[in-house]
Amino acid sequence: MSKNILSTPREDGFRMPGEFEKHEGCWMIWPERTDNWRLGAKPAQAAFIEVAKVISKYEPVTMCVSDKQYNVARELLPSDIRVIEVSSDDAWMRDVGPTFVINDTGDLRAVDWRFNAWGGLLDGLYFPWDKDDKIARKVANVENLDYYKLESFILEGGSIHVDGEGTCIVTEACLLDESRNPDLSKEEIETYLKDYLNVSKIIWLKNGIYLDETNEHVDNIIHYCAPGVVALAWTDDETDPQYDYSKAAYEILSNEMDSKGRCIEVVKLHIPDHVIVTKEEADGVDSVDGTLPRMEGDRQAASYANFYIANGAIILPIFGDEKHDKLAAEILQTVFPDRVIETIYAREIILGGGNIHCITQQQPDRRE
Ligand code: KQY
C-alpha cells in the first residue's frame, strides 16, 4: 500500500527527471466545469480527447473523470486510454497532479505539494479547491507509490521546470507572489525546491507570459528541452509588454550556468498573434461568483512553449496563426530531430487559461 514518507527525495536519493527522459505514461483530467469551459465544456472536451489520442500513440494515457461524466468520457475516449473515476475541481493535471521522482535503482515515488487554486482566497481562480488538492495522493494510491506529502508548502507543477541533472527554473512572479507561501523567504523556498526535486541550482526568471492568470507559470514561457537547452517564448514586438519579459528571461538564461556549470542554449519560439476572446466565446462561459470571468476582448496567454514532450513526439499547441505556428513546429523539429512534431489546434484549451503542458503530467519510466 502506498504510504506517506516523512523524509525528502533529496535525503532518499530520488530526483525529478527531465520531461525529455522516458515516460511510463501520461495523466490528464477531463474538463467539465462550465464556469471555465464554454458551451458546457464540450469544445474543451473535444480538444482534450485530441490531446489524449495523440499522446496515446506514444505512451499510455490515463484520464481522471468525475462520476458524473464517467460514462460520457469512457464512451468518447478510445479503449486504449485508461479512464478512472477521480473527483477534481478542474482539469489542470500539471498543477494538481504529483511531481514524480525516481532513483537509480528503478523506484518511483510522488511528491504531493499543497494546492490553493493559484492563489487561495487572495488571488485564486476558483473556490473551493479541496478535490484538486487530493489528486496527487490519489494518483500515487492508484499507482501504489509512496509519496512525500508537504503539509503547507504551496506549489503547482507548472511553476517548475527541471533538467533532471540538478537545475530548476522558476519565475519570481509566481513563486514569490504573496498568494503562495508568504511566510517563506526566497532562500527558504529554494530549500524546499532543492529538497523535494533534488536540485542544487535554481534559476529565477522575473516573469512569465504577460497576463498569465497563474501569476506567470514558468511552463508557459520556457521549456527544458534537454540538459543545457531551453526553449523560450519570444516576441520581436518591442511595444508588447511581453517583449521586456522575454528579453529579461533571455538575458538571465544566457548569462547563468546550470548546476553542471554549462552555459544554456536558448531557442526562441516567437509567440502567436494575440489570441483574443470573442463575444461568442465569452458568452458561452457560465458566470459564477468566485471564478475568474472570461470577458470579450481579453488577451489569452498564448505561447508555443507550453508543449508536452511525449516518448518520441512533441505535442505542440497551435493557434491558427499560420506563420508562427509553422515556425514553431520547424524550430522544435530541429531541437528534437528524433521526435515527431504533432500539432493540435489549442484555442479551446487556452480559452480555459492554460495549454497542453498544463493539462498533462508525465509519469517517468522507472526502469531506464
Ligand atoms: O496551469 C495553468 N495554466 C492552469 C490555469 C488555470 C486556469 C483556471 N481558469
Side-chain angles (χ1 to χ4, degrees):
M1 203 190 69
S2 141
K3 63 178 186 307
N4 185 17
I5 304 173
L6 300 176
S7 51
T8 66
R10 184 186 186 81
E11 287 172 298
D12 298 341
F14 282 73
R15 66 176 177 100
M16 181 188 181
E19 192 175 320
F20 40 79
E21 295 180 49
K22 196 166 171 223
H23 303 172
E24 266 174 30
C26 175
W27 290 81
M28 295 179 66
I29 305 170
W30 186 251
E32 60 181 280
R33 61 183 297 157
T34 58
D35 57 353
N36 193 57
W37 306 103
R38 71 192 187 106
L39 305 177
K42 286 293 145 202
Q45 288 170 3
F48 276 53
I49 290 170
E50 211 186 325
V51 171
K53 276 186 181 172
V54 172
I55 296 175
S56 71
K57 286 169 37 182
Y58 301 93
E59 60 196 41
V61 174
T62 302
M63 185 71 77
C64 298
V65 188
S66 71
D67 170 53
K68 215 164 113 212
Q69 280 281 308
Y70 184 86
N71 286 341
V72 178
R74 185 57 290 172
E75 193 67 34
L76 290 172
L77 288 160
S79 57
D80 64 332
I81 293 179
R82 177 169 69 155
V83 177
I84 62 172
E85 187 193 324
V86 176
S87 320
S88 68
D89 295 298
D90 201 1
W92 307 98
M93 188 53 107
R94 174 67 49 189
D95 294 339
V96 302
T99 296
F100 293 100
V101 288
I102 56 171
N103 70 3
D104 290 340
T105 50
D107 301 306
L108 179 65
R109 291 180 179 171
V111 178
D112 177 7
W113 316 97
R114 295 310 305 264
F115 177 77
N116 73 351
W118 308 274
L121 296 179
L122 200 63
D123 191 21
L125 300 180
Y126 47 72
F127 175 87
W129 53 81
D130 55 304
K131 294 188 186 73
D132 278 350
D133 195 24
K134 291 188 195 123
I135 289 179
R137 182 155 66 94
K138 290 182 178 177
V139 168
N141 289 165
V142 169
E143 292 295 300
N144 202 16
L145 301 176
D146 292 343
Y147 54 92
Y148 300 92
K149 178 166 179 51
L150 286 100
E151 281 314 314
S152 59
F153 186 70
I154 306 279
L155 188 109
E156 304 98 44
S159 70
I160 50 170
H161 250 302
V162 299
D163 67 355
E165 297 189 355
T167 316
C168 176
I169 308 181
V170 296
T171 66
E172 291 183 358
C174 181
L175 269 72
L176 301 186
D177 192 86
E178 57 175 346
S179 66
R180 298 311 201 280
N181 297 290
D183 298 333
L184 298 181
S185 66
K186 189 173 182 180
E187 291 67 35
E188 287 167 328
I189 291 171
E190 284 211 354
T191 301
Y192 273 102
L193 298 174
K194 288 176 177 171
D195 285 348
Y196 285 86
L197 301 172
N198 200 352
V199 294
S200 54
K201 170 90 187 240
I202 316 292
I203 298 178
W204 291 86
L205 307 182
K206 301 273 178 238
N207 292 98
I209 293 288
Y210 178 60
L211 296 179
D212 187 323
E213 62 198 58
T214 63
N215 303 96
E216 302 171 28
H217 272 181
V218 78
D219 74 339
N220 211 16
I221 185 165
I222 63 123
H223 206 123
Y224 240 124
C225 301
V229 184
V230 168
L232 168 70
W234 182 257
T235 179
D236 292 327
D237 178 1
E238 295 185 21
T239 67
D240 186 335
Q242 186 59 45
Y243 182 81
D244 287 339
Y245 288 11
S246 291
K247 189 160 177 282
Y250 183 82
E251 275 158 17
I252 290 168
L253 290 168
S254 308
N255 289 305
E256 279 277 10
M257 302 274 190
D258 68 15
S259 67
K260 302 272 187 219
R262 288 176 291 235
C263 293
I264 296 173
E265 181 193 346
V266 184
V267 180
K268 292 177 179 170
L269 291 177
H270 199 290
I271 57 171
D273 289 346
H274 299 341
V275 173
I276 306 293
V277 178
T278 65
K279 176 169 176 10
E280 191 194 346
E281 288 167 342
D283 287 350
V285 179
D286 293 343
S287 172
V288 166
D289 194 25
T291 304
L292 188 77
R294 297 276 164 239
M295 308 296 280
E296 177 187 3
D298 280 355
R299 171 176 168 183
Q300 297 303 96
S303 154
Y304 298 104
N306 208 299
F307 56 84
Y308 177 71
I309 306 180
N311 294 335
I314 300 300
I315 320 300
L316 175 67
I318 54 170
F319 303 94
D321 168 351
E322 221 172 284
K323 175 179 156 194
H324 294 116
D325 288 354
K326 186 162 173 280
L327 203 58
E330 283 170 1
I331 291 169
L332 287 174
Q333 188 67 83
T334 65
V335 177
F336 296 101
D338 301 329
R339 296 185 203 247
V340 179
I341 309 296
E342 299 269 17
T343 59
I344 290 187
Y345 182 61
R347 187 174 179 95
E348 294 297 339
I349 309 176
I350 193 65
L351 286 176
N355 223 312
I356 293 175
H357 195 254
C358 310
I359 64 168
T360 50
Q361 179 65 253
Q362 71 280 358
Q363 178 169 326
D365 190 319
R366 60 194 102 183
R367 289 170 292 270
E368 230 193 12

